[in-house]
Amino acid sequence: MEQGKKVIFSGIQPTGKITIGNYLGSLKNWIGMQEEFDCIFCVVDMHSITVTQVPSELRKNTFDLLALYMACGLSPEKSILFVQSHVPAHAELTWVLNTIAYVGEMNRMTQFKDKSRKHADNINMGLMDYPVLMASDILLYQADLVPVGVDQKQHVELARNLAQRFNSRYSPTFVVPDCYIPPVAAKITSLQDPTAKMSKSDPNENAVVTMFDDKDAITRKFKRAVTDSDTEIRFDREKKPGVSNLLSIYCGFTGVTEKAAEEEFAGKGYGELKARVAESVIAALEPIQREQKRLAADKAYLEAVLKTGAEKAERIANRTLEKVYRKVGFIPRAR
Ligand code: AQP
């Protein structure tokens, strides 16, 4: 970590196949940040068990996600790449922060309410505590900036509140982090219900394009995407959520501005829009998929990356945790 450089922290859950929503809303924006900032990127496996997982699949998804991080351009030489459960300080800080987080504020979290509805048979304490664990992830590394999609904004705000609350109750300890929301594609929506977020755990396959989908699947899913009854192609998230979503995906993958995309598709039909969006996604994903496959096959290399990453992350995390323990009045363990 270099003195004076801002610190970035973010992560994705290995809860299934990563979607183009996860990619455009978060992962893609991390790549360029590596040059300018001290970056720490985590595979947040502890978050993922707040929803029932098949253990063998969770293990595979964890390696697959790390390989995807690197295939997209995250470099273990430039950034710290690690798995959350390898650094016990995440769980340890969560306990301390739990004692300053109020049940009322946790109950109001949108994701908790959504996931409680979706998993009514498994509303566990971890699901409710998810945002406190996320606050610990961020605060342990004294992160200045947290690049996430719009859906995670409320959780970053909770991390800010907990940092400020701790700092004023004890003394300045945590950097109060800011949220970085990308200007384009901060919320990609479902291809089948364009008013709902595209989620990797959506059981409807046609609603989601994953980073692992092949050419035919991508073409088919966009062909079936829900649009609307008139024929005009323009951004209007209120009245034309389906078309606006397709345009956002196009802008996200091509780097074209919203205005230029509207001009490009003026007078064209929905069929052409869908085909061109699919082409842009296929072109961007093909090289990533090839590299991901190559990396995922080299387990020894991935394990070595994670070992180094965990060692580096642990050093920083333990420094913060020791400070926190001292501030709350825990006596240090004799060495
Ligand atoms: N649809 C989306 N559009 C833009 N950004 C998105 N993100 C998620 N969905 C979209 C961003 O991806 C990052 C990682 O998300 P996560 O895995 O930690 O959890 P999530 O937000 O709950 O993502 P999913 O896909 O909806 O996962 P499941 O289905 O497991 O709950 C975050 O930065 C998020 O903002």
Side-chain angles (χ1 to χ4, degrees):
M1 308 284 282
E2 276 183 43
Q3 282 276 308
K5 267 197 180 180
K6 288 207 168 179
V7 176
I8 301 279
F9 179 93
S10 201
I12 299 180
Q13 301 180 77
T15 36
K17 298 258 179 286
I18 303 307
T19 73
I20 57 169
N22 299 126
Y23 176 67
L24 294 178
S26 61
L27 181 48
K28 179 170 179 276
N29 309 300
W30 304 348
I31 315 301
M33 293 179 165
Q34 298 179 102
E35 308 303 328
E36 201 183 330
F37 303 105
D38 276 333
C39 292
I40 303 165
F41 299 116
C42 189
V43 176
V44 287
D45 57 347
M46 288 162 68
H47 282 281
S48 65
I49 61 164
T50 55
V51 168
T52 309
Q53 302 293 330
V54 177
S56 58
E57 283 175 16
L58 179 58
R59 271 189 287 274
K60 180 175 185 318
N61 288 338
T62 301
F63 281 116
D64 277 350
L65 182 53
L66 174 69
L68 183 68
Y69 278 5
M70 290 196 281
C72 290
L74 293 185
S75 150
E77 274 82 47
K78 293 180 187 164
S79 298
I80 298 177
L81 307 180
F82 75 108
V83 171
Q84 188 182 30
S85 62
H86 290 179
V87 179
H90 290 250
E92 292 165 320
L93 181 59
T94 300
W95 180 252
V96 177
L97 293 183
N98 272 337
T99 65
I100 61 162
Y102 302 120
V103 171
E105 66 189 338
M106 304 313 295
N107 249 325
R108 284 195 296 275
M109 292 286 138
T110 310
Q111 181 179 286
F112 173 60
K113 288 194 277 191
D114 282 353
K115 292 211 167 166
S116 299
R117 256 192 310 272
K118 277 191 206 154
H119 306 278
D121 56 337
N122 183 20
I123 307 176
N124 60 77
M125 280 305 294
L127 199 58
M128 191 181 196
D129 209 24
Y130 181 115
V132 180
L133 177 59
M134 180 164 157
S136 301
D137 300 338
I138 298 165
L139 302 183
L140 272 177
Y141 300 96
Q142 307 288 359
D144 297 282
L145 219 53
V146 186
V148 284
V150 161
D151 63 310
Q152 292 295 336
K153 191 165 173 243
Q154 192 183 35
H155 290 167
V156 179
E157 268 157 23
L158 179 86
R160 286 175 61 83
N161 291 341
L162 293 180
Q164 280 161 342
R165 203 172 294 162
F166 189 95
N167 289 351
S168 70
R169 187 168 302 182
Y170 298 98
S171 64
T173 307
F174 295 119
V175 168
V176 180
D178 281 313
C179 193
Y180 171 84
I181 306 282
V184 179
K187 185 183 174 188
I188 298 301
T189 57
S190 153
L191 297 188
Q192 293 300 311
D193 173 7
T195 57
K197 187 181 85 144
M198 184 183 282
S199 263
K200 54 177 125 59
S201 55
D202 193 324
N204 182 352
E205 265 195 24
N206 286 323
V208 175
V209 175
T210 84
M211 296 295 286
F212 299 86
D213 280 346
D214 65 21
K215 204 173 158 187
D216 292 345
I218 296 172
T219 309
R220 190 181 63 245
K221 288 178 184 183
F222 279 111
K223 221 178 234 169
R224 292 183 185 164
V226 169
T227 45
D228 46 47
S229 52
D230 74 18
T231 55
E232 213 185 335
I233 299 178
R234 63 184 164 82
F235 271 102
D236 185 340
R237 287 187 178 82
E238 290 273 292
K239 296 200 189 95
K240 299 173 72 70
V243 170
S244 303
N245 191 41
L246 293 175
L247 284 170
S248 289
I249 294 170
Y250 185 72
C251 293
F253 277 102
T254 56
V256 164
T257 64
E258 293 191 355
K259 193 165 171 290
E262 281 182 331
E263 282 166 10
E264 203 175 318
F265 288 108
K268 306 256 163 62
Y270 288 166
E272 180 164 354
L273 172 68
K274 289 176 176 183
R276 296 273 303 283
V277 176
E279 278 163 24
S280 73
V281 175
I282 292 164
L285 295 196
E286 266 179 354
I288 295 177
Q289 289 175 348
R290 226 175 301 121
E291 182 62 0
Q292 194 280 341
K293 216 166 160 192
R294 189 187 71 79
L295 288 164
D298 192 349
K299 193 120 168 259
Y301 173 61
L302 296 181
E303 279 171 341
V305 167
L306 290 182
K307 181 171 182 286
T308 310
E311 283 162 3
K312 289 183 189 165
E314 189 159 55
R315 267 196 295 276
I316 306 166
N318 284 350
R319 240 184 353 247
T320 304
L321 188 70
E322 273 170 30
K323 216 167 158 188
V324 167
Y325 275 14
R326 208 172 52 241
K327 300 268 176 110
V328 300
F330 293 167
I331 57 165
R333 177 177 154 195
R335 300 274 165 202

